[in-house]
Amino acid sequence: MTEIAAETWPEPPLAGTEAEAVLGALERQRATLAWKCSGLDAPGLRATLGASTITLGGLLKHLAHVEDSHFARLWLGSPVGAPWDTVDWAGTPDWDYRSAAEDTPEQLLTLWREAVARSRAIVDTALGAGGLDQLGAYTTRSGERPNLRRILLDLVEEYARHAGHADLIRESVDGLTGEDPPR
């Protein structure tokens, strides 16, 4: 897995626009996950902590799915593509977590990086067409549609929650602790 360089650590602007602040927070959370998963072999990515079955590899695969599903389903109103479109989610709702044990570290990192790249491209296009108030294609039963701001903030929340899991799991694997990469 690739190491994260401290000098390239993303930091949200102190006085940027709303879009810059939200995207900066998301990029920092993405970098935190990448750092917590970096440099580990397959057993490291399969390690669990306590009674939990969550693994760092499972988090990578789950967050790749979250990236793809949020933008495909909520923003574009389209079906989610491979590999997510062949999963029986009703029968195996935790497929992304469980199936990660079958993947190599390289496959997991590639899956996650490609999902992030797709998300970044969608957001760049969307912001080029307007701001965070633009509405996504998804419509709830009550007729509401999420705006780009809400979709991005949901991603920030999802990453932040799982970064806490990643902190604990990584510490149990090799003692790596902290919120920022070593400088």
Side-chain angles (χ1 to χ4, degrees), residues 1 33 41 69 81 97-98 111 116 119 136 144 150 152 154 158 169 175 177:
M1 297 206 119
L33 178 74
D41 58 9
S69 67
Y97 287 108
R98 291 191 307 140
L111 181 71
V116 168
S119 294
E144 294 180 285
R150 171 60 188 268
L152 289 169
D154 282 354
E158 185 81 3
I169 298 167
T177 62

Side-chain angles (χ1 to χ4, degrees), residues 114-167:
E114 288 174 354
V116 168
R118 284 187 293 275
S119 294
R120 286 180 179 140
I122 290 168
V123 170
D124 286 348
T125 299
L127 288 175
L132 296 175
D133 290 327
Q134 297 174 82
L135 297 178
Y138 178 78
T139 303
T140 66
R141 291 181 190 163
S142 62
E144 294 180 285
R145 291 170 47 200
N147 62 22
L148 185 56
R149 176 185 300 103
R150 171 60 188 268
I151 294 168
L152 289 169
L153 289 174
D154 282 354
L155 277 174
V156 170
E157 178 184 358
E158 185 81 3
Y159 270 95
R161 184 165 52 95
H162 290 312
H165 299 130
D167 284 339

